[in-house]
Amino acid sequence: MLKVTGLETYYGTSQALFGMTFDVEAGEVVTLMGRNGMGKTTTVNSIIGIVPPTSGSIEFAGQEVSKLASFKTANLGIGLVPEGRQVFPNLSVRENLVATASNHQKLDDPWTIEKVYAMFPELELRATSMGNLLSGGEQQMLAIGRALMTNPRLLVLDEATEGLAPLIREKIWAALADIRKSGLSILLVDKNLKDLLKLADRHFIVEKGQVVWSGNSAQLSKAEDIQHRYLGV
Ligand code: ATP
């Protein structure tokens, strides 16, 4: 589904990614983990074209996307739930959801506003509220719903549970577990190791702009030295 190879990305003259390499298979949940400032968000933003890489390749569903504009990559089926949610503050919940709705992949059973409301009933209750009046948890649900409304083949979530109360975090994890059952591929950047071990198939640990360890959940739960060295657990 997604194959990232040898990505190098710069901010001006400052290099942030040093040969980032990982992949996500169809139907898989994969994580990028690592301490702050190691290059996870830069990786996500390079994939979607917000911070284009200077070299390396990003193959999505068999197509090279590293030189494409963000909207073109999005239209190919990558749905981004960005760090900090970034819901449209002056649009209502309903408007946020319909603003990006599309079905470019012509999926047979696409996401609809009703399905998003069924997953997050909180959003239906706030359907006419403006984005900036929502709680952090509601904004996060809205950001996920908005990405689903683009009917992606790969959902990318950058710090989707950051700063949320434990109960809300549980709801987000439960929703992601449901979403994965629908067969969608998911790339998760997050810090909650315990939850990620349960939800994800494989993990890539990022240190200074490159992958320093990869393995499945069983391997990572046993690798206490790796957890300690790279995740500070
Ligand atoms: P966090 O969990 O804190 O978001 P991260 O692993 O996602 O961390 P990045 O945000 O990708 O890390 O940062 C990687 C490196 O790039 C860091 O050294 C950071 O200071 C730098 N960086 C990130 N954004 C910018 C920017 N807009 N301009 C210049 N340097 C940046």
Side-chain angles (χ1 to χ4, degrees), residues 11 14 16 34-43 83 159 191:
Y11 294 100
S14 158
R35 291 198 176 91
N36 288 349
M38 290 303 163
K40 304 173 305 291
T41 296
T42 304
T43 303
E83 189 172 31
E159 304 279 7
K191 296 199 176 66

Side-chain angles (χ1 to χ4, degrees), residues 109-122:
D109 187 19
W111 283 91
T112 59
I113 202 158
E114 291 76 23
K115 280 202 205 176
V116 171
Y117 284 161
M119 171 164 290
F120 297 123
E122 294 83 350

Side-chain angles (χ1 to χ4, degrees), residues 7-64:
L7 274 201
E8 311 232 328
T9 299
Y10 288 76
Y11 294 100
T13 54
S14 158
Q15 187 167 4
L17 298 187
F18 295 82
M20 177 67 65
T21 299
F22 70 96
D23 65 298
V24 183
E25 306 265 350
E28 235 189 348
V29 180
V30 165
T31 74
L32 292 181
M33 280 192 268
R35 291 198 176 91
N36 288 349
M38 290 303 163
K40 304 173 305 291
T41 296
T42 304
T43 303
V44 166
N45 288 344
S46 289
I47 292 169
I48 201 75
I50 297 170
V51 189
T54 48
S55 58
S57 116
I58 305 167
E59 221 178 277
F60 176 63
Q63 191 170 336
E64 180 62 39

Side-chain angles (χ1 to χ4, degrees), residues 17-217:
L17 298 187
F18 295 82
M20 177 67 65
T21 299
F22 70 96
D23 65 298
V24 183
E25 306 265 350
E28 235 189 348
V29 180
V30 165
T31 74
L32 292 181
M33 280 192 268
R35 291 198 176 91
N36 288 349
M38 290 303 163
K40 304 173 305 291
T41 296
T42 304
T43 303
V44 166
N45 288 344
S46 289
I47 292 169
I48 201 75
I50 297 170
V51 189
T54 48
S55 58
S57 116
I58 305 167
E59 221 178 277
F60 176 63
Q63 191 170 336
E64 180 62 39
V65 300
S66 58
K67 301 275 186 294
L68 293 187
S70 300
F71 77 93
K72 290 194 174 155
T73 304
N75 285 353
L76 287 174
I78 300 186
L80 176 64
V81 181
E83 189 172 31
R85 294 131 203 175
Q86 298 180 26
V87 301
F88 302 119
N90 53 351
L91 295 185
S92 70
V93 165
R94 193 172 185 288
E95 288 165 343
N96 263 278
L97 290 172
V98 295
T100 58
S102 60
N103 185 9
H104 289 283
Q105 317 311 320
K106 307 261 179 296
L107 303 184
D108 293 338
D109 187 19
W111 283 91
T112 59
I113 202 158
E114 291 76 23
K115 280 202 205 176
V116 171
Y117 284 161
M119 171 164 290
F120 297 123
E122 294 83 350
L123 292 182
E124 186 165 19
L125 295 174
R126 307 289 318 257
T128 57
S129 301
M130 291 293 149
N132 61 348
L133 298 180
L134 304 179
S135 69
E138 288 165 345
Q139 287 191 9
Q140 191 62 61
M141 292 173 198
L142 182 55
I144 295 173
R146 181 179 59 179
L148 290 172
M149 290 293 283
T150 68
N151 281 292
R153 291 187 277 183
L154 172 70
L155 186 64
V156 180
L157 299 105
D158 192 357
E159 304 279 7
T161 62
E162 195 174 29
L164 299 182
L167 207 64
I168 309 288
R169 222 184 286 154
E170 287 305 315
K171 275 193 188 168
I172 304 283
W173 294 130
L176 291 178
D178 280 348
I179 292 167
R180 84 160 299 177
K181 278 190 215 138
S182 74
L184 196 63
S185 310
I186 301 179
L187 176 63
L188 270 175
V189 173
D190 210 287
K191 296 199 176 66
N192 294 283
L193 178 66
K194 252 172 71 186
D195 298 305
L196 294 175
L197 286 173
K198 275 189 259 163
L199 182 70
D201 301 296
R202 288 190 299 137
H203 310 271
F204 291 85
I205 295 185
V206 178
E207 176 91 352
K208 297 190 182 136
Q210 56 188 290
V211 169
V212 288
W213 185 91
S214 65
N216 61 28
S217 285

